[in-house]
Amino acid sequence: MLGDSGVGKTSLLIRFRDGRYVPSYFLSTVGIDFRNKVVVVDGTRVKLQIWDTAGQERFRSVTHAYYRDAHALLLLYDVTNKTTFDNIRAWLGEIREYAQEDVVIVLIGNKADCGSSERQVKREDGERLGREHNVPFMETSAKTGLNVELAFTAVARQLKCRGYDHGDDGKFNVHDFVRDNTKARSVCAQCRNM
Ligand code: GTP
């Protein structure tokens, strides 16, 4: 998981793994942390080992060392913070420099639960950036759970298809999967219940 400090990497991971959100939780990650979760993809158990990197610049040399081994990267920005969106191009540059060429990338605009008065990045801008770099895009909310499961499942399916599971026919397309399964904020059940 990559992206500027404060975009919600740890919160998204905790929401995915434990199904909870701690509102004022902001313990900036130091260096790197990891958590495991097993997901079931078409009857196959896929163990995801998820590395949560620190967004702060001062830890960059530590986190670079982990790019090379990553099979997939969730690249986050915060929809209420334009700077974090503008920095995505620089993050993609780092990925090109340090990660494997065929790494799976998913671009994520987090904090989609925030209202229009707080929002600084439109969903269309995220979609455009995703298209520009040929990476699937979705908005998520660690707070409400919007699309959180989808983000990790899309990665798990793509990795399974890449040959980590020999029974797969290799026809999975992460772009189509994300496009067909992304929920808009207005139809999220959890949002409706808030
Ligand atoms: P670093 O560890 O410094 O790289 O930060 P991080 O990207 O892991 O951010 P973290 O998960 O610590 O979240 C930063 C702040 O944003 C916290 O106060 C969270 O409660 C808040 N936050 C995270 N996700 C969401 C979200 O989906 N919606 C809202 N409204 N706030 C969020």
Side-chain angles (χ1 to χ4, degrees):
M1 303 186 72
L2 296 176
D4 282 4
S5 180
V7 296
K9 298 180 293 298
T10 304
S11 303
L12 200 77
L13 181 47
I14 289 174
R15 163 61 83 176
F16 173 62
R17 209 197 61 165
D18 305 333
R20 67 191 169 96
Y21 174 73
V22 188
S24 60
Y25 181 86
F26 190 2
L27 260 184
S28 227
T29 305
V30 175
I32 195 143
D33 195 9
F34 84 93
R35 285 158 217 260
N36 291 333
K37 177 150 173 162
V38 175
V39 294
V40 178
V41 176
D42 300 333
T44 304
R45 286 160 59 84
V46 179
K47 182 177 171 185
L48 297 175
Q49 187 178 75
I50 308 159
W51 294 85
D52 177 18
T53 66
Q56 287 179 40
E57 187 83 42
R58 65 198 170 107
F59 295 117
R60 240 14 94 74
S61 58
V62 179
T63 54
H64 284 161
Y66 291 85
Y67 282 51
R68 183 64 55 196
D69 293 328
H71 296 134
L73 298 168
L74 296 188
L75 177 56
L76 276 75
Y77 67 89
D78 170 355
V79 301
T80 69
N81 183 334
K82 174 81 163 47
T83 306
T84 66
F85 178 73
D86 293 339
N87 286 341
I88 288 294
R89 285 171 208 282
W91 281 107
L92 287 165
E94 296 220 342
I95 290 171
R96 265 193 299 277
E97 191 169 344
Y98 296 103
Q100 298 192 46
E101 216 173 301
D102 64 346
V103 70
V104 177
I105 304 169
V106 178
L107 177 64
I108 290 177
N110 189 41
K111 309 196 187 179
D113 57 277
C114 292
S116 50
S117 58
E118 289 169 275
R119 191 182 263 272
Q120 294 182 3
V121 185
K122 293 193 206 124
R123 189 168 72 208
E124 302 83 75
D125 293 334
E127 284 168 349
R128 192 175 310 115
L129 189 63
R131 273 198 304 277
E132 226 175 85
H133 293 275
N134 197 29
V135 295
F137 165 78
M138 70 183 76
E139 287 196 343
T140 60
S141 167
K143 186 172 180 178
T144 66
L146 176 77
N147 293 328
V148 175
E149 201 72 30
L150 172 65
F152 291 92
T153 309
V155 165
R157 282 181 174 270
Q158 178 74 85
L159 295 181
K160 178 173 174 279
C161 175
R162 280 267 173 100
Y164 299 100
D165 174 81
H166 300 295
D168 204 281
D169 64 5
K171 286 191 183 129
F172 177 73
N173 182 310
V174 69
H175 289 266
D176 293 347
F177 183 77
V178 168
R179 193 197 52 228
D180 296 345
N181 291 283
T182 303
K183 292 189 176 80
R185 192 164 80 100
S186 54
V187 296
C188 171
Q190 280 149 309
C191 292
R192 276 201 298 272
N193 296 335
M194 282 183 70

